[in-house]
Amino acid sequence: MTDFTVFDLETSGLNPENDEILEIAALKLKGKDIAGRFEALVQPTKAISLEVEKVHGLNEIFLLVNGRSIKDVLSDFIDFIGDSIIVGHNIKEFDWLFVLNQLKKLSLPTSSNKLIDTLELSRKLINLPKYNLSEVAKYFNFEHNGAHRAMPDVEVNAKIFIELMEMLLNKTVNPQI
C-alpha cells in the first residue's frame, strides 16, 4: 500500500528565498489510517514581524525556547517522509518550495518525492468560489479549528485528501467541472 504524507508549514513570510520555516507538521497515512505523526518548531534566525505573528501566533521568544535548528528539523522531516507521496494544500506553489530551498541552502539531499496538491485537486473536483483550506473543509463539513497552525491544518487536510481521493475513485466528480 502506498504511503502518503500530508504536511504543512508555517513560515515567517511568503518568499521561500528570504523567509524562514517556523513550524512543520505531517501525518503519514496508510490508506485512511494515520501511521505516523511529525511536529516540530524551528528556531528563527531573523526577526518575525508582528503581522506574521498575528497570522499563526508564533513569536521569536517562543520559537527560540521551544524550537530546534532548521537543519535538525529538516533532516528528521526528510527521514519521516521517506519515499511516500507528499500531500498538501498549495504545496507546489508554497510549502514544498520552502522545503526545497532550505534543503539546498543547508546542502542536504533534496527530495524527489511525488507531490499531490489538494488545492489543485479541489479546483478540479468541486465547485467553490474560493479554495483556501477553510473553504474546502467547510464544503466537506469538517471543522477547521486552529487554522494557520501546522498540525490543525494537516489534520483537516488529511481528511480532505481522503475525501478527494474517494471522489476520484468513485467518479463522483461535480458534473459542472
Side-chain angles (χ1 to χ4, degrees), residues 58-73:
L58 298 170
N59 67 53
E60 293 161 56
I61 294 169
F62 177 77
L63 291 170
L64 288 169
V65 170
N66 296 292
R68 297 186 295 139
S69 76
I70 185 64
K71 189 169 190 170
D72 289 346
V73 169

Side-chain angles (χ1 to χ4, degrees), residues 7 17 21 27 31 48 53 58-59 67 74 78 83 89-91 101 106 115 120 123 134 136 138 141 157 159 167 172:
F7 94 104
E17 294 291 324
I21 296 169
L27 292 175
I48 299 170
E53 183 182 333
L58 298 170
N59 67 53
L74 274 181
I78 294 301
D83 61 357
H89 203 75
N90 198 29
I91 59 169
N101 187 60
L106 296 166
L115 303 177
E120 287 178 6
R123 287 179 172 153
S134 292
V136 177
K138 194 182 303 178
N141 295 313
N157 200 32
K159 293 176 187 177
M167 288 176 79
T172 58

Side-chain angles (χ1 to χ4, degrees), residues 48-171:
I48 299 170
S49 74
L50 191 54
E51 296 81 32
V52 169
E53 183 182 333
K54 286 179 183 176
V55 172
H56 47 56
L58 298 170
N59 67 53
E60 293 161 56
I61 294 169
F62 177 77
L63 291 170
L64 288 169
V65 170
N66 296 292
R68 297 186 295 139
S69 76
I70 185 64
K71 189 169 190 170
D72 289 346
V73 169
L74 274 181
S75 294
D76 291 348
F77 177 64
I78 294 301
D79 288 346
F80 178 80
I81 64 174
D83 61 357
S84 64
I85 296 172
I86 308 301
V87 178
H89 203 75
N90 198 29
I91 59 169
K92 290 182 179 179
E93 299 295 324
F94 189 78
D95 304 73
W96 199 241
L97 298 179
F98 271 87
V99 171
L100 293 177
N101 187 60
Q102 285 298 314
L103 290 171
K104 184 178 171 186
K105 280 183 180 177
L106 296 166
S107 300
L108 293 171
T110 57
S111 168
S112 59
N113 297 55
K114 292 182 181 176
L115 303 177
I116 295 177
D117 196 320
T118 56
L119 175 62
E120 287 178 6
L121 271 180
S122 298
R123 287 179 172 153
K124 290 178 182 172
L125 299 176
I126 58 180
N127 191 10
L128 294 172
K130 293 193 301 189
Y131 291 90
N132 62 48
L133 193 59
S134 292
E135 290 298 317
V136 177
K138 194 182 303 178
Y139 175 85
F140 289 112
N141 295 313
F142 297 138
E143 298 255 338
H144 186 207
N145 300 318
H148 299 297
R149 282 302 302 268
M151 188 52 81
D153 286 353
V154 167
E155 289 170 340
V156 76
N157 200 32
K159 293 176 187 177
I160 289 169
F161 172 65
I162 291 167
E163 290 293 325
L164 292 170
M165 289 295 97
E166 287 182 352
M167 288 176 79
L168 282 173
L169 291 172
N170 297 322
K171 297 189 179 158

